[in-house]
């Protein structure tokens, strides 16, 4: 089976967030797809199968299947545009999070994702111990959002991932602050999925775009993710949907040998 690795939200390889991509004629058993994700040891491996209306898309982390992933969706669309659907400008994916569309716009790939609203949430001593700092504010939607005082506070944060695993709320932990050169900065942690820090996280913007639209009064936002690899994402708030855009770079093409 052909296997691709794409650096998503990256202008060149070794930047952004790497994702594995498998385009298949039919589904493999779930345990086989999970084992491939574990073997790849990337934050996500995406599996796509052609349907009458677009493609069905699933995402597996080394710790299990997830409901939504931005960078692996972008990576899958990049492969389809480049090698399969070469005359298309838009691809529809059916997923656990509903219908997702990716549109090619020059060198950028624009994801159309559902928006996720968050509400203010009480901070606990357990959360503070996991973060290592006390956040200015705490919010919860599908996951936890911690607002920190500055870009430097986000950059220098050194969480305790074992303690973070024990926080009962949500799967992911997002930390964010107003940026100096970008509208906002952020980092994303998924220790419950055996992924301590995700390099660049498209799906996080589903929660952070409405969060920062309210604070900045802007519908078009640029975010910089302050991971070691780093990446920039261009976002637009469309009310109940969010547009998430970035480039991609092909790192490798190989074959997986499955009986």
């Amino acid at each position: 089976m052909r296997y691709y690795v794409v650096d998503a939200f990256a202008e060149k390889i070794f930047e952004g967030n790497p994702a594995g991509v498998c385009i298949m004629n039919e589904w493999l058993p779930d345990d086989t797809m999970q084992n491939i994700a574990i073997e790849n040891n990337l934050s996500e491996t995406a599996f796509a199968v052609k349907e009458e209306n677009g493609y069905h898309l699933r995402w597996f982390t080394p710790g299990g299947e997830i409901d939504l992933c931005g960078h692996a969706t972008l990576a899958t669309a990049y492969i389809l545009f480049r090698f399969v659907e070469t005359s298309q400008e838009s691809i529809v994916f059916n997923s656990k999070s509903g219908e997702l569309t990716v549109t090619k716009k020059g060198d950028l790939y624009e994801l159309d994702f559902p928006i996720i609203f968050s509400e203010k949430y009480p901070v606990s001593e357990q959360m503070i111990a996991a973060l290592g700092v006390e956040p200015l504010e705490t919010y919860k939607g599908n996951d936890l959002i911690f607002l920190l005082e500055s870009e430097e506070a986000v950059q220098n944060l050194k969480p305790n991932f074992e303690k973070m695993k024990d926080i009962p709320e949500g799967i992911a932990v997002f930390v964010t602050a107003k940026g100096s050169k970008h509208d906002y900065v952020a980092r994303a942690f998924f220790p419950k999925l055996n992924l301590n820090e995700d390099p660049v996280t498209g799906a996080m913007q589903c929660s952070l775009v409405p969060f920062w639209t309210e604070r900045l009064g802007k519908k078009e936002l640029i975010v910089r993710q302050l991971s070691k690899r780093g990446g920039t994402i261009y976002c637009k708030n469309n009310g109940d949907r969010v547009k998430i855009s970035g480039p991609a770079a092909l790192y490798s093409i190989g074959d997986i040998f499955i009986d």
Side-chain angles (χ1 to χ4, degrees):
M1 181 176 67
R2 187 57 49 90
Y3 168 68
Y4 306 86
V5 176
V6 176
D7 288 339
F9 300 112
E11 294 183 351
K12 57 184 179 180
I13 61 170
F14 306 128
E15 295 180 348
N17 199 350
V21 177
C22 297
I23 310 298
M24 308 180 300
N25 294 323
E26 59 185 19
W27 292 109
L28 295 170
D30 284 8
D31 61 344
T32 301
M33 291 189 287
Q34 183 60 67
N35 284 332
I36 291 171
I38 292 169
E39 188 79 7
N40 293 344
N41 200 31
L42 298 171
S43 57
E44 269 87 18
T45 299
F47 299 87
V49 171
K50 177 75 171 177
E51 295 183 325
E52 184 176 348
N53 179 29
Y55 287 79
H56 194 95
L57 182 61
R58 297 172 69 182
W59 310 275
F60 285 78
T61 77
E65 186 174 8
I66 58 173
D67 292 343
L68 186 65
C69 177
H71 83 278
T73 302
L74 190 158
T76 304
Y78 173 89
I79 293 301
L80 290 171
F81 284 130
R82 182 162 176 176
F83 297 108
V84 184
E85 307 289 352
T86 54
S87 64
Q88 299 298 313
E89 294 297 320
S90 183
I91 294 174
V92 175
F93 293 109
N94 299 304
S95 75
K96 285 189 173 184
S97 292
E99 186 176 285
L100 310 172
T101 303
V102 182
T103 303
K104 191 175 186 302
K105 295 192 172 183
D107 293 332
L108 298 181
Y109 300 85
E110 182 184 80
L111 285 63
D112 182 278
F113 272 26
I115 215 159
I116 299 171
F117 294 101
S118 304
E119 295 183 353
K120 202 159 189 179
Y121 196 80
V123 67
S124 66
E125 292 300 321
Q126 186 180 32
M127 295 174 190
I128 295 171
L131 287 175
V133 299
E134 184 169 355
L136 296 178
E137 298 175 23
T138 302
Y139 290 79
K140 183 180 180 299
N142 291 356
D143 301 289
L144 288 169
I145 299 172
F146 295 106
L147 178 65
L148 302 189
E149 62 181 356
S150 67
E151 180 172 325
E152 290 72 25
V154 173
Q155 180 77 74
N156 298 328
L157 190 73
K158 293 180 173 56
N160 184 312
F161 295 116
E162 289 304 313
K163 291 182 178 179
M164 196 173 279
K165 285 181 182 178
D166 295 331
I167 297 174
E169 295 89 349
I171 296 296
V173 170
F174 305 143
V175 297
T176 188
K178 192 174 185 303
S180 57
K181 296 180 181 179
H182 304 83
D183 292 302
Y184 63 95
V185 297
R187 291 171 69 187
F189 307 109
F190 296 84
K192 292 179 183 178
L193 295 175
N194 298 325
L195 173 66
N196 285 342
E197 182 165 6
D198 197 34
V200 188
T201 314
M204 174 171 62
Q205 314 318 320
C206 298
S207 300
L208 292 189
V209 165
F211 182 90
W212 283 106
T213 291
E214 182 178 342
R215 282 155 183 77
L216 300 177
K218 299 174 65 175
K219 290 190 174 182
E220 295 191 19
L221 299 153
I222 303 174
V223 53
R224 180 69 183 177
Q225 196 147 333
L226 299 178
S227 65
K228 184 177 180 180
R229 289 173 68 101
T232 301
I233 305 177
Y234 304 90
C235 304
K236 184 177 181 180
N237 188 329
N238 274 6
D240 62 347
R241 307 287 293 182
V242 59
K243 304 287 189 181
I244 305 165
S245 300
L250 179 63
Y251 172 67
S252 69
I253 302 174
D255 291 296
I256 297 175
F257 296 94
I258 301 174
D259 294 335

